[in-house]
Amino acid sequence: MCLFKAENGQMAIQSCAECAHDTIDAAELDFRELNRRLRESRGQSRILNCCGQRFIASGMSKQSVTIEGVPGNALGSYLNGASLTVHANAQDAVGDTMNEGRIVIHGSVGDAAGYAMRGGAIYVRDNAGYRAGIHMKAYEEKIPVLVIGGTAGSFLGEYQAGGLIIVLGRGAGSRPVAGNFPCTGMHGGKLFLRGDCSRILFPDQVTARKALKQDLDEIRNQVMEYGNLFGVDPEELLDAPFTVVTPDNKNPYQQMYVVN
């Protein structure tokens, strides 16, 4: 039997023959055995009772994996095309150095989400911890995307060298959409922050300005996808002020890296 989330949001059970998933009960498995079973699956797997196993789906390319429970650090590290969906929170370093594929988190993530990712997309319904998007980079035609639906902690986009980071600030209330020291060492890519950014102090080597229509057109597809994934009206999200942050042309860090 297989556990899945029905249209009404409640958990339900159906036979694996109906859903064509390989079901893996992770309650008694360490990460090595869990990944071995994933590699031997038919390509579509549902993991039940996940509780902190690290490196799930590391380096995988063709699998589609749904996880019930909380995965440990480095979920989808070095991901190379697989699709991962988590119906809970996830811990640190989600998508560490991922190359392509997609990770969807129906909850919040810990620190360093998207660390050094150079392709693919990560969608987080709620909040992210410190150093989200650190060392994020673009490579040739690959443009990595990190979308955070809630707020992000300090050092957001630290040393960002490419790609898009979008923080939507849902549920922020009186809190700033991002913590202290965002974009420290940023030398490529773009960061979009929705809502009031007046209390955020940006470093001298970046330019932060009000996003124009053409800027929002650049992230429309990603915001639409976020809305589709999590049942949120994307037009309502886009109908709000955004701040776009880019590295200053005189940024000294640009001389230290090859930026495509």
Side-chain angles (χ1 to χ4, degrees), residues 10-248:
Q10 301 298 312
M11 301 310 295
I13 294 177
Q14 64 186 12
S15 72
C16 291
E18 293 177 71
C19 66
H21 282 88
D22 287 320
T23 300
I24 302 171
D25 188 339
E28 302 297 329
L29 302 181
D30 66 13
F31 72 90
R32 295 180 182 85
E33 178 63 16
L34 178 53
N35 275 328
R36 185 188 68 79
R37 295 193 188 186
L38 281 177
R39 287 191 293 270
E40 293 177 354
S41 72
R42 292 173 290 177
Q44 295 190 43
S45 301
R46 189 176 297 275
I47 300 174
L48 307 182
N49 301 312
C50 185
C51 188
Q53 288 93 341
R54 300 169 292 162
F55 311 121
I56 294 176
S58 180
M60 293 186 180
S61 58
K62 298 180 180 179
Q63 286 85 344
S64 176
V65 182
T66 300
I67 299 172
E68 308 292 345
V70 180
N73 291 355
L75 168 73
S77 60
Y78 304 100
L79 200 69
N80 200 32
S83 175
L84 312 180
T85 300
V86 178
H87 290 290
N89 297 328
Q91 295 182 17
D92 297 344
V94 169
D96 181 351
T97 323
M98 69 182 288
N99 186 49
E100 59 182 317
R102 189 172 79 165
I103 301 176
V104 177
I105 307 294
H106 289 261
S108 296
V109 295
D111 298 339
Y115 176 83
M117 67 182 295
R118 66 174 190 173
I122 300 174
Y123 290 88
V124 180
R125 187 190 67 189
D126 299 328
N127 305 318
Y130 294 162
R131 290 189 159 89
I134 180 175
H135 281 300
M136 190 173 173
K137 63 200 71 176
Y139 180 71
E140 295 182 345
E141 76 283 359
K142 295 178 181 178
I143 306 295
V145 174
L146 172 60
V147 181
I148 299 165
T151 61
S154 296
F155 298 101
L156 171 69
E158 186 179 30
Y159 298 113
Q160 184 183 354
L164 294 174
I165 300 176
I166 305 166
V167 185
L168 298 173
R170 296 180 62 233
S174 60
R175 295 174 298 159
V177 66
N180 297 322
F181 315 114
C183 309
T184 301
M186 181 184 189
H187 51 278
K190 291 185 179 181
L191 170 66
F192 288 82
L193 300 173
R194 177 176 173 268
D196 182 13
C197 295
S198 61
R199 290 183 291 159
I200 299 176
L201 182 62
F202 295 98
D204 292 338
Q205 78 267 11
V206 303
T207 299
R209 59 174 175 82
K210 180 180 178 180
L212 304 175
K213 180 183 181 300
Q214 56 264 37
D215 298 308
L216 296 182
D217 288 343
E218 186 175 352
I219 63 170
R220 174 171 290 276
N221 288 343
Q222 289 78 20
V223 175
M224 294 287 288
E225 182 66 6
Y226 176 91
N228 291 335
L229 286 168
F230 301 118
V232 179
D233 182 358
E235 295 300 335
E236 182 178 336
L237 293 174
L238 288 165
D239 187 24
F242 277 77
T243 296
V244 58
V245 186
T246 55
D248 191 284

